[in-house]
RNA sequence: GGGAGCAUAGCUCAGUUGGUUAGAGCGCUUGCUUUACACGCAAGAGGUCACAGGUUCGAGUCCUGUUGUUCCCACCA
């Protein structure tokens, strides 16, 4: 690097790709299985292959990478395996859409060809995703990259399925499920979003079969009357209890059904009479089970009514509803209609209304899986950070129902079950089944369904380790240490990994679950395609660089809380990065031969002050890093670098350098130490700057430790005093309206004559002073006095000063001082305080009072005055 | 209906186990081409910590209640 070539401002776009290649080509992130270091394993949430990465991913990968890089520098062997998720339903829908544009359907091209089309999609878009993960700077081991549908993951999936089937934890059953007529598949409970919508509650006449009276039934779904199998009332309802076991006639349809009593019925809702349609309502299904009622399925899988619905067959449920209501009205069977707010289930993927219907599906029995999964969190083996998310997890796990794991789509893990055409027996096996285990018939075919995409994601932490093969590696790296994810997939993924892992491996999948929030737009709205307010992280990266993006996402972040992203914020981050760049540039152009080196014997008090600060900060941020308090850690480093290192230390050093290489080297050493602690957050620019001064790579260097040798209390205090003098002078200059470019003279009366004399060059330069007269008599004219603990600074009044304004300010200062003096005096007179408060607090108050009183008396007499001695 | 979060400067947010004068970034005001950086430097204004009680020598922080707001869960047809 030629120093003369260092540009005035840092250009991220020309640097970042080269740096990542440098890391990757040198295998810095490669997991060394035979390493003696402590292994630290992070489970990387594999992104979908359907879209591009969004801001949520950027946050997620940033946080993971901060931990990975920090732990690596702390001496751990990092195992962080990247990969992508086949995201069954989303990908299938996208590929179907592509085919549709080409004018073909998936059934036309057939299973094999369709799977090839999907694989082609994966190769194209999956690679785009992995490129973007690299762009974000993720320091994962690409040689271990995985895909949830690759051979190894498929093996784990089949193993899981077969084992649980044999244990009867996976079963096939005809039950009511959430059906999406648009996606044409069943979906699980958590893939249904309930959205509040305005519906029409209609009151219908159900005549008794043996007389002319009727019961009034209120329903929002009149089109399902063809599936009615009973009318239910609460057995405790005085109005209706005598009708139980009588018969009514379903309007329009005309079939006769019984009146039953069931506690579920709410007397106060509608008329207190409920029509029971077990095939198309979850609650009704349960009532049906309790009363041994049959199920009449009246809705086709495409969302239309079937042949059981007479004239209405073929109509969609919403059209049929209108038609049924019209007909009921015209035949005088409808009493009234009223608008109500209710929750309607929508498919979380396509937003289409979910039709509950009865269908044969594969289910995972949850009851026994949930218990140990609950225990692992309860007894602290797995901890959520922040802790409150464990409550959300437990509540869900406590109320969990069986998981419908089969999907009527092709792209995904095909269910390893073979049906016999002959005897209908199902043979489940790891390998292709060629004959029926029951009747030996060779007439067997594989189940057409595939598995829910989360079924394979649930095994991700151990399937990527090669489980059930490569058992030794598995044992060395498992349970993993950490998973970081957004709160929106606790149920989808985190919970399922926990019970799957415990069931299958006997071990928890990870020790810690760090939960972060959503990235919202500048107004706090969720970023979404429909709003068009999404910000593409890749656009931001090309404009500002990924370091700036990472810094913005993590600055001021509180785990578990949502965060807002705005262009204003990222400008601040870019400015900070540019500041680092320029500090380095300054050192490099000061002397080409500069190296990060420290000679303890040659340290100035300023070096010692800075080392003291650095050491303290390192100690603090290490605590923050261990507790995943990234926002707090970066804030401290930011302030250390900008407020201490740049604003004071470099400014002092400028005066000390005088081309002294040893001094420069010390400064460079400290800069490099700061680069180390910054590196996990902003890896690219720090690596680049590091290369100006070092031959090795920053990313594999050691994290600085708290160094007790750098405990320079007294020297630090001296520097603090110098700073206090400079600050005081600057403040007074401003109050006197003296511009910075005008030099002034000052008089100081102090007991620290030696210190101030020795360091007067710094004071003169940084406060722009001509002459400093220490403990000298002033000659004539008005002066402005500033009182410090150890010195009184007197400045002859300047031409531009508005004395009235100044007096007002000083008066206010005196008042505030007086207030505090009174308050602290009172406090010290309080016996309870003296007795109960810790002594250091009491001492502190005493000291403050002392110094306040001194200042007060100085200011009271001398604030604007004729000089005195 | 159940549960959780949030409420602190004009805006966005920090504030670790209660302890000096409640912080940062942005914005605003004033001054500055001070030989790294105007993506900069120096100084400044701006807060009843939502409200009401309580515990404590001491509360932004702990407890109770109220209000506002966001989110999650739940089968009220």
């Amino acid at each position: 690097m030629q120093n003369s070539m260092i540009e005035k401002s840092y250009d991220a776009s020309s640097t970042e790709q080269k740096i990542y290649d440098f890391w990757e080509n040198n295998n810095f992130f490669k997991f060394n299985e035979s390493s003696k270091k402590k292994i630290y394993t992070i489970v990387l949430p594999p992104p979908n292959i359907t879209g591009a990465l969004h801001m949520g991913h950027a946050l997620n990968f940033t946080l993971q990478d901060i931990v990975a890089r920090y732990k690596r520098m702390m001496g751990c062997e990092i195992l962080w395996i990247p990969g992508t998720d086949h995201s069954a339903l989303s990908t299938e829908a996208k590929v179907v859409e592509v085919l549709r544009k080409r004018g073909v359907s998936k059934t036309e091209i057939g299973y094999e060809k369709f799977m090839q089309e999907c694989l082609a999609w994966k190769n194209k878009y999956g690679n785009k995703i992995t490129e973007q993960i690299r762009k974000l700077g993720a320091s994962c081991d690409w040689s271990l990259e995985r895909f949830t549908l690759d051979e190894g993951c498929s093996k784990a999936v089949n193993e899981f399925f077969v084992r649980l089937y044999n244990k009867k934890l996976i079963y096939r059953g005809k039950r009511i499920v959430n059906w999406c007529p648009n996606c044409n598949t069943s979906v699980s409970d958590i893939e249904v979003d309930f959205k509040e919508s305005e519906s029409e509650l209609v009151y219908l006449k159900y005549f008794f079969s043996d007389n002319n009276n009727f019961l009034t039934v209120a329903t929002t779904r009149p089109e399902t009357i063809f599936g009615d199998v009973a009318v239910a009332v609460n057995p405790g309802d005085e109005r209706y209890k005598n009708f139980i076991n009588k018969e009514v006639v379903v309007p329009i349809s005309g079939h006769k059904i019984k009146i039953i009593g069931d506690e579920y019925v709410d007397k106060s809702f509608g008329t207190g009479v409920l029509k029971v349609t077990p095939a198309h309502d979850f609650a009704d299904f349960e009532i049906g089970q309790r009363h041994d009622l049959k199920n009449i399925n009246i809705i086709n899988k495409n969302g239309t009514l079937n042949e059981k619905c007479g004239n209405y067959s073929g109509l969609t449920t919403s059209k049929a509803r209108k038609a049924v209501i019209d007909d009921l009205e015209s035949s005088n069977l409808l009493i009234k209609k009223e608008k109500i707010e209710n929750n309607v289930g929508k498919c979380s993927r396509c937003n289409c209304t979910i039709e509950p219907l009865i269908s044969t599906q594969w289910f995972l029995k949850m009851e026994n899986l949930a218990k140990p999964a609950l225990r692992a969190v309860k007894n602290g083996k797995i901890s959520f950070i922040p802790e409150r998310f464990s409550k959300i997890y437990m509540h869900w796990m406590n109320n969990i129902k069986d998981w419908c794991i089969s999907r009527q789509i092709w792209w995904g893990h095909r269910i390893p079950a073979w049906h016999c055409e002959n005897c209908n027996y199902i043979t489940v096996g790891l390998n292709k089944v060629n004959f029926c285990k029951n009747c030996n018939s060779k007439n067997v075919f594989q189940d057409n369904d595939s598995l829910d995409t989360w079924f394979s994601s649930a095994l991700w932490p151990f399937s990527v380790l090669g489980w059930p093969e490569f058992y030794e590696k598995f044992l060395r790296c498992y349970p993993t240490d950490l998973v970081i994810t957004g709160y929106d997939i606790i149920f989808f993924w985190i919970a399922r990994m926990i019970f799957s892992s415990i069931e299958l491996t006997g071990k928890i999948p990870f020790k810690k679950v760090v939960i972060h929030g959503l990235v919202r737009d500048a107004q706090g709205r969720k970023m979404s395609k429909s709003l068009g307010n999404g910000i593409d992280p890749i656009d931001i990266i090309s404009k500002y660089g990924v370091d700036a993006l990472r810094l913005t996402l993590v600055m001021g972040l509180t785990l578990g809380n949502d965060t807002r992203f705005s262009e204003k914020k990222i400008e601040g981050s870019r400015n900070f990065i540019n500041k680092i760049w320029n500090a380095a540039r300054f050192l490099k152009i000061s002397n080409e031969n500069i190296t990060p080196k420290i000679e303890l014997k040659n340290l100035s008090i300023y070096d010692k002050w800075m080392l003291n600060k650095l050491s303290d900060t390192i100690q603090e941020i290490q605590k923050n890093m261990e507790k995943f308090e990234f926002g707090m850690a970066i804030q401290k480093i930011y302030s250390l670098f900008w407020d201490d290192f740049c604003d004071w230390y470099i400014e002092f050093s400028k005066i000390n350098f005088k081309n002294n290489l040893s001094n420069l080297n010390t400064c460079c050493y400290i800069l490099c130490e700061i680069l180390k602690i910054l590196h996990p957050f902003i890896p690219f620019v720090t690596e680049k700057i590091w290369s100006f001064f070092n031959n090795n790579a920053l990313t594999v260097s050691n994290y600085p430790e708290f160094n007790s040798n750098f405990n320079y209390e007294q020297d630090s205090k001296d520097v603090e005093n110098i700073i206090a003098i400079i600050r005081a002078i600057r403040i007074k200059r401003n109050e006197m309206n003296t511009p910075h470019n005008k030099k002034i003279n000052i008089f100081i009366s102090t007991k620290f004559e030696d210190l101030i004399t020795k360091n007067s060059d710094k004071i003169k330069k940084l406060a722009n002073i001509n002459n400093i007269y220490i403990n000298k008599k002033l000659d004539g004219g008005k002066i402005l006095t500033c009182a410090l603990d150890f010195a009184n600074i007197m400045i002859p009044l300047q031409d531009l000063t508005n004395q009235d304004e100044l007096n007002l300010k000083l008066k206010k200062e005196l008042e505030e001082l007086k207030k505090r003096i009174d308050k602290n005096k009172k406090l010290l007179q309080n016996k309870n305080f003296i007795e109960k408060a810790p002594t250091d607090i009491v001492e502190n108050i005493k000291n403050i009072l002392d110094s306040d009183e001194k200042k007060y008396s100085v200011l009271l007499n001398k604030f604007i005055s004729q000089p005195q001695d």
Side-chain angles (χ1 to χ4, degrees):
Chain A
M1 166 59 70
Q2 295 155 286
N3 66 57
S4 54
M5 296 299 285
I6 300 179
E7 314 245 337
K8 245 181 162 182
S9 55
Y10 170 61
D11 179 27
S13 59
S14 66
T15 316
E16 288 175 352
Q17 186 61 52
K18 282 182 214 152
I19 298 272
Y20 198 91
D21 291 345
F22 163 69
W23 291 330
E24 208 178 341
N25 294 338
N26 282 283
N27 294 321
F28 288 143
F29 308 144
K30 211 161 176 168
F31 175 62
N32 178 1
E33 219 173 312
S34 52
S35 165
K36 294 261 167 21
K37 295 176 182 172
K38 182 182 178 294
I39 294 175
Y40 192 88
T41 315
I42 304 175
V43 179
L44 180 147
N48 281 349
I49 51 166
T50 39
L53 296 191
H54 52 69
M55 273 300 171
H57 289 114
L59 172 63
N60 183 249
F61 279 104
T62 297
L63 297 183
Q64 292 182 76
D65 193 50
I66 288 170
V67 177
R69 288 177 187 272
Y70 170 73
K71 288 284 178 186
R72 188 177 293 115
M73 292 175 82
M74 289 295 282
C76 292
E77 185 66 32
I78 302 299
L79 176 58
W80 190 24
I81 303 174
T84 45
D85 190 283
H86 68 284
S87 33
L89 188 47
S90 319
T91 307
E92 172 140 337
K94 296 257 183 189
V95 174
V96 165
E97 181 59 23
V98 169
L99 292 179
R100 196 188 61 80
K101 280 182 185 154
R102 252 192 264 155
V104 277
S105 73
K106 74 170 190 179
T107 38
E108 275 166 22
I109 66 167
Y111 181 81
E112 295 300 333
K113 268 208 159 154
F114 183 75
M115 294 298 272
Q116 279 168 20
E117 289 286 345
C118 290
L119 205 59
W121 173 285
K122 183 259 161 182
N123 288 336
K124 187 172 169 194
Y125 291 95
N127 287 344
K128 203 173 135 192
I129 298 286
T130 54
E131 266 323 298
Q132 293 187 344
I133 296 174
R134 284 179 170 90
K135 266 208 160 101
L136 289 169
S139 60
C140 41
D141 183 352
W142 290 103
S143 71
L144 300 175
E145 185 185 345
R146 297 297 298 273
F147 177 52
T148 51
L149 208 52
D150 66 22
E151 202 186 328
C153 289
S154 300
K155 260 187 191 159
V157 164
N158 287 343
E159 187 80 27
F160 188 21
F161 191 96
V162 172
R163 282 199 202 179
L164 269 69
Y165 180 80
N166 290 337
K167 282 178 85 172
K168 301 208 169 8
L169 289 175
I170 285 178
Y171 63 91
R172 193 165 187 256
K174 200 169 180 184
R175 289 189 16 187
I176 187 159
V177 293
N178 299 296
W179 185 269
C180 174
N182 184 41
C183 300
N184 199 35
T185 179
S186 59
V187 295
S188 69
D189 294 344
I190 45 177
E191 284 162 296
V192 180
D193 297 333
F194 284 92
K195 289 188 183 145
E196 210 157 80
S197 52
E198 194 171 78
S199 299
E200 213 168 34
L201 185 64
V202 295
Y203 290 74
L204 313 180
K205 295 177 184 171
Y206 280 57
F207 281 96
F208 289 99
S209 58
D210 56 357
N211 63 44
N212 283 335
N213 294 324
F214 59 85
L215 279 180
T216 307
V217 174
T219 179
T220 51
R221 300 207 57 188
E223 77 280 11
T224 62
I225 50 176
F226 302 100
D228 288 357
V229 295
V231 158
V233 297
N234 193 304
D237 193 334
E238 292 299 326
R239 293 172 295 179
Y240 305 120
K241 67 179 190 188
N242 293 332
F243 298 138
I244 290 171
N245 287 330
K246 292 201 162 168
E247 227 177 33
V248 288
V249 180
V250 178
I252 297 182
S253 162
H255 65 286
K256 293 174 184 168
I257 54 177
K258 251 170 70 176
I259 299 166
I260 58 169
D262 195 288
E263 295 286 348
Y264 168 78
V265 180
D266 179 353
K267 288 183 267 185
S268 62
F269 188 91
T271 57
V273 186
L274 170 72
K275 77 185 200 58
V276 182
T277 320
H280 301 292
D281 184 284
F282 281 84
D284 292 7
F285 183 79
E286 279 172 26
I287 295 174
Q289 300 260 297
R290 282 199 287 275
H291 295 270
D292 208 16
L293 303 171
K294 60 179 179 178
N295 305 317
I296 306 175
N297 213 340
I298 61 147
I299 298 175
N300 293 316
K301 301 227 158 135
N302 64 4
T304 60
L305 297 196
N306 69 14
E307 72 288 347
K308 296 202 181 82
C309 306
N311 294 337
Y312 308 97
S313 71
L315 296 179
T316 62
T317 47
S318 66
K319 277 187 183 152
R321 184 175 308 163
K322 283 187 199 105
V324 167
I325 290 174
D326 284 350
D327 293 348
L328 286 164
E329 259 178 327
S330 56
S331 46
N332 204 22
L333 290 164
L334 191 145
I335 296 168
K336 63 170 173 175
K337 301 186 274 192
E338 53 187 43
K339 302 259 182 240
I340 58 156
E341 286 279 321
N342 70 342
N343 286 327
V344 176
K346 302 278 180 183
C347 172
S348 62
R349 210 197 64 78
C350 72
N351 204 31
C352 162
T353 301
I354 291 291
E355 293 292 351
L357 51 80
I358 293 198
S359 135
T360 304
Q361 301 286 347
W362 293 88
F363 296 90
L364 181 58
K365 208 173 161 109
M366 287 309 306
E367 201 186 345
N368 290 331
L369 294 177
K371 282 177 193 161
L374 277 163
R375 227 177 296 134
V377 173
K378 215 173 189 175
N379 66 20
K381 283 194 175 147
I382 299 174
S383 54
F384 280 80
I385 301 155
E387 210 278 325
R388 71 183 128 95
F389 289 101
S390 64
K391 271 189 254 170
I392 294 171
Y393 164 86
M394 302 243 232
H395 181 259
W396 189 73
M397 214 48 134
N398 268 319
N399 296 288
I400 196 163
K401 288 183 188 158
D402 288 357
W403 175 16
C404 176
I405 52 173
S406 48
R407 296 289 179 273
Q408 287 62 57
I409 57 172
W410 287 349
W411 176 243
H413 299 272
R414 198 156 172 187
I415 289 179
W418 281 259
H419 301 267
C420 177
E421 298 250 38
N422 218 20
C423 69
N424 287 331
Y425 184 82
I426 297 171
T427 309
V428 167
L430 288 173
N431 301 310
K432 188 174 188 307
V433 170
N434 294 314
F435 60 92
C436 173
K437 254 191 181 172
N438 184 44
C439 70
N440 279 330
S441 160
K442 286 192 173 165
N443 216 350
V444 292
F445 65 95
Q446 187 169 4
D447 196 287
N448 279 318
D449 289 354
S450 60
L451 288 161
D452 184 358
T453 200
W454 295 102
F455 191 87
S456 56
S457 321
L459 317 184
W460 182 252
F462 50 94
S463 66
V464 296
L465 296 176
W467 184 95
E469 291 162 41
F470 307 103
Y471 201 64
E472 260 177 43
K473 180 176 178 183
F474 168 77
L475 283 179
R476 282 202 68 198
C477 308
Y478 209 79
T480 69
D481 292 278
L482 175 71
V483 61
I484 303 187
T485 186
Y487 58 68
D488 49 335
I489 57 170
I490 292 175
F491 305 144
F492 284 109
W493 194 45
I494 298 294
R496 284 161 173 176
M497 282 191 284
I498 294 175
F499 66 69
S500 305
S501 176
I502 294 175
E503 167 63 25
L504 225 51
T505 71
K507 291 170 184 279
I508 55 169
F510 30 70
K511 295 167 197 155
K512 287 182 174 153
V513 185
V514 168
I515 301 289
H516 59 75
L518 267 42
V519 184
R520 295 173 175 275
D521 74 359
Q523 281 103 58
R525 297 172 305 177
K526 215 166 164 172
M527 289 190 190
S528 75
K529 273 182 199 152
S530 54
L531 271 175
N533 63 341
I535 301 171
D536 186 347
I538 301 305
D539 290 346
I540 294 293
I541 290 170
S542 49
K543 197 166 168 194
Y544 297 95
V546 71
D547 286 328
L549 173 63
R550 291 168 60 122
L551 197 59
T552 303
L553 288 170
V554 82
M555 193 84 89
L557 180 82
T558 314
L559 279 180
N561 287 6
D562 292 350
T563 170
R564 297 187 193 200
F565 185 90
S566 70
E567 198 122 347
K568 259 273 158 304
K569 271 192 197 171
I570 200 162
E571 279 174 16
S573 304
R574 179 205 53 194
N575 295 353
F576 176 67
I577 286 162
N578 195 50
K579 185 85 178 168
I580 308 168
W581 178 261
N582 272 289
R585 175 170 177 265
F586 168 65
L587 292 183
K588 192 72 184 175
I589 58 184
S590 294
N591 190 320
E592 171 115 21
N593 299 319
I594 190 168
T595 47
K597 208 165 75 183
I598 184 169
E599 293 166 47
L600 288 175
K601 282 172 280 176
N602 289 339
L603 296 179
S604 71
I605 59 168
Y606 300 97
D607 297 328
K608 291 176 179 174
W609 171 78
M610 191 64 225
L611 287 167
N612 205 46
K613 288 236 173 216
L614 173 71
S615 196
D616 286 352
T617 306
I618 288 166
Q619 200 176 18
E620 281 178 45
I621 61 170
Q622 277 198 23
K623 282 183 200 150
N624 292 138
M625 296 299 278
E626 295 295 338
K627 288 194 276 182
F628 306 99
E629 294 164 344
F630 309 117
M632 222 176 273
I634 191 62
Q635 182 60 53
K636 284 173 189 164
I637 307 172
Y638 184 101
S639 169
L640 176 81
F641 177 75
W642 200 313
D643 305 340
D644 299 326
F645 185 79
C646 292
D647 289 351
W648 292 107
Y649 181 64
I650 286 191
E651 294 306 321
F652 285 134
S653 302
K654 276 179 186 172
I655 303 152
N656 273 351
F657 287 163
K658 291 174 192 143
N659 266 332
N660 179 332
L661 191 58
S662 170
N663 284 341
L664 268 170
N665 286 344
T666 308
C667 195
C668 183
Y669 168 85
I670 294 172
L671 175 70
C672 287
E673 292 297 287
I674 297 176
L675 290 179
K676 285 181 185 171
I677 56 181
L678 278 168
H679 184 256
F681 297 90
I682 44 172
F684 292 93
V685 69
T686 48
E687 183 74 79
K688 178 72 183 171
I689 294 171
W690 178 269
S691 73
F692 297 166
F693 311 111
N694 298 275
N695 296 320
N696 57 351
L698 171 59
T699 204
V700 287
S701 67
N702 290 328
Y703 206 79
E705 285 170 42
F706 168 70
N707 192 334
S708 52
N709 288 337
F710 296 159
N711 190 1
Y712 299 113
E713 285 287 335
Q714 187 48 50
D715 293 315
S716 289
K717 187 78 191 134
D718 285 349
V719 174
E720 293 293 343
N721 286 337
I722 300 295
I723 289 174
I725 290 173
I726 294 167
R727 277 221 168 98
I729 299 167
R730 283 173 175 173
I731 291 169
K732 293 302 160 192
R733 285 181 72 110
N734 258 286
E735 285 178 2
M736 293 192 293
N737 293 328
T738 311
H740 182 265
N741 53 4
K742 195 185 171 225
K743 290 199 174 187
I744 57 173
N745 293 329
I746 59 164
F747 296 79
I748 303 179
S749 70
T750 179
K751 54 183 176 182
F752 291 162
E753 181 165 352
D754 195 42
L755 175 73
I756 295 171
T757 310
K758 268 189 190 159
N759 293 282
S760 60
D761 53 343
K762 315 291 185 306
I763 300 170
K764 280 181 180 171
K765 182 83 197 325
L766 297 186
N768 212 22
I769 304 295
N770 214 5
N771 286 308
I772 302 177
Y773 302 101
I774 304 170
N775 294 336
K776 295 261 164 57
K777 217 173 168 177
L778 284 85
D779 29 274
K782 283 186 174 174
I783 59 156
L784 179 64
T785 304
C786 173
L788 299 174
D789 288 346
F790 59 95
N792 292 330
I793 302 164
M794 287 148 289
I795 308 170
L797 229 51
Q798 305 295 307
D799 306 340
L800 289 165
T801 308
N802 177 335
Q803 290 193 32
D804 295 340
E805 211 175 85
L806 202 53
N807 275 324
L808 214 68
K809 225 170 220 167
L810 289 165
K811 211 176 145 191
K812 211 173 143 195
E813 204 178 310
L814 272 171
E815 275 166 14
E816 272 165 21
L817 213 48
K818 182 82 174 75
K819 241 195 225 165
R820 205 164 73 217
I821 289 169
D822 291 348
K823 192 183 137 203
N824 285 338
K825 262 188 184 164
K826 235 181 177 174
L827 197 55
L828 288 170
Q829 281 160 11
N830 186 339
K831 266 187 200 157
N832 273 324
F833 174 71
I834 303 288
E835 280 167 23
K836 292 184 183 170
T839 46
D840 55 320
I841 299 286
V842 178
E843 277 308 304
N844 227 331
I845 297 284
K846 275 184 189 164
N847 290 339
I848 290 163
L849 183 62
D850 247 34
S851 110
D852 278 353
E853 283 183 322
K854 237 186 271 169
K855 281 180 199 167
Y856 189 78
S857 70
V858 171
L859 288 182
L860 195 61
N861 298 321
K862 297 191 175 177
F863 61 90
I864 290 185
S865 61
Q866 297 299 322
Q868 298 169 24
D869 30 10

